[in-house]
Amino acid sequence: PERPRWAWSPDFASHATQVLRRGCQGRCELRIGLCVLGRVGRAEFSKTGWLDQPQGLYGFRASKVAAAKGASAVDELVECVRWARRNQVHVLCFPELAIDPAGRTVLGEAIAADPGSLCVVIPGSFHELARGTDGWVNRAPVWLVERVPPAPDGAGPKARVFAAEPFDKTDPFIFKAKKAEAVLGEAPDGCLEYREDIDAGTALTVVDSPAGRIGLAICKDAMRGPLLERYGQVADHFLVVSMNEQSTGWFWTSGETLARRDAVAAFYVNSTQDVPEQDSAVDLAFWCFPEQTQLTNVVYRRKLPPSPAASPEAAPLQEEKVQLADRRAFAAPIPPEYAVFVPIRIPGTVFDT
C-alpha cells in the first residue's frame, strides 16, 4: 500500500498551537464542527458513458451544486463560517459532493477574511479531474489555515487557506439504474447499474495537527477493513464525509471498531440531499469515542423517534433505541442550523515546550 499523504505546514502548526493554547472560554480543548448540507445547495449529476457495457455498467459524476429555488447556497456556506467563528471551532467538516469548485471559492474567501479559531477545514468532496492526469477522482481537499501578518490599515485577509494533501475516494458508489431515474433520467438501453466514473484512490490522508493526527475517508471507504486498520495505526481522530440516504448502522460499526480496537475517535457528517424529511433512521451526524473517556457518543437526526412508552404504535423502534444504548450513545435532534460541534478536552501539557 502507498505511504500516507501527510498534511502539514510549519505556519499551520504555529497558528494551530497558538489557537489551541488560548483555549475556549479558558479551557484547553479541540472543537470539531460538522456542518450538514444538502437542503439549500443540491448536487446535480450527469451520465458519462459505458464503463462495462456487457455487464450493463454505466458511469456518472456530479456536475455542479445548484441552489434550491428562493435560496442561496453561497449564503449558507458563509453562515457556516460565521457559525464556526461564533463557536470557536477548530476543525470544520462538510459532507460528500456538497460543495462544488465555485462553492469552494466562496468558502475559502470567507475563511481567509476572518477564520476565527479555524485551523483545519474539509470542504466536503467533489468530482474533479486529477491534476496531471486524464482521470477523475472523488476528492476531499484538506485546507490548513495559516495566519498572515495584518496590513497596516487593517484591511485585507487575516489568513491564508493552504490546500494540503487531499483524500481520494477508494470505493466508487454503485446504484441500480431504476433507483437513479430521479437524478439521472431514463437509463440507456442495457444499463443495469450506475457507478461513479472515477479512479479509485489508494492512499490515506493524515493531517498532522498539534491536537492529534486526523484521518479522512469518503462514505463507503469507512466500511473497508484494510483502510480502517491502516488508519487505526496512525490516526487519533477519524472524519467521514458522506452522502447517504440509507441506514447508517454500518458507519456506526466502523466508528466503534476504531474506537474500541485502536482508541481512535470517529466523526461522521452526512448530506440531507436524498434523506426523506421525516426519516429518523438516517444519521445526519454522529461521533463515537473510545471507552473510558469522559465524552459522550451522540447521534443527530432530522427527527427523533417517539418514545415507545408514550406511543404504543412506535414499539418497533424499541430495538433501535436498545442498540443506541448498547453503543453508549444518545440520540438528539439536529439543531436548526444543521451544524453541531464537539469539544474534546486537551491537557495543557500537550503544548508545553
Side-chain angles (χ1 to χ4, degrees), residues 113-125:
D114 188 354
S117 297
L118 285 176
C119 301
V120 180
V121 179
I122 310 299
S125 76

Side-chain angles (χ1 to χ4, degrees), residues 266-294:
F267 306 85
Y268 174 87
V269 61
N270 198 5
S271 167
T272 67
Q273 176 159 330
D274 297 317
V275 178
E277 285 288 339
Q278 303 304 323
D279 191 341
S280 61
V282 177
D283 300 340
L284 300 182
F286 72 73
W287 51 79
C288 184
F289 289 103
E291 294 186 36
Q292 298 180 343
T293 68
Q294 296 181 351

Side-chain angles (χ1 to χ4, degrees), residues 235-250:
D236 301 295
H237 315 285
F238 182 58
L239 302 178
V240 180
V241 301
S242 182
M243 176 182 280
N244 176 63
E245 82 283 8
Q246 301 177 24
S247 174
T248 36
W250 285 107

Side-chain angles (χ1 to χ4, degrees), residues 317-335:
L317 296 172
Q318 180 74 37
E319 180 181 356
E320 180 183 26
K321 295 175 77 67
V322 170
Q323 290 175 353
L324 287 173
D326 289 342
R327 294 168 178 153
R328 292 165 306 285
F330 70 84
I334 197 76

Side-chain angles (χ1 to χ4, degrees), residues 4 6 204-206 213-217 222 224-239 254-266 290:
W6 290 94
L204 309 184
T205 294
V206 180
R213 293 173 171 173
I214 303 169
L216 179 63
R224 299 191 62 192
L227 183 141
L228 289 182
E229 290 177 8
R230 294 172 64 196
Y231 269 129
Q233 296 168 3
V234 296
D236 301 295
H237 315 285
F238 182 58
L239 302 178
S254 299
E256 283 191 308
T257 297
L258 282 176
R260 293 178 175 176
R261 183 188 65 197
D262 303 306
V264 175

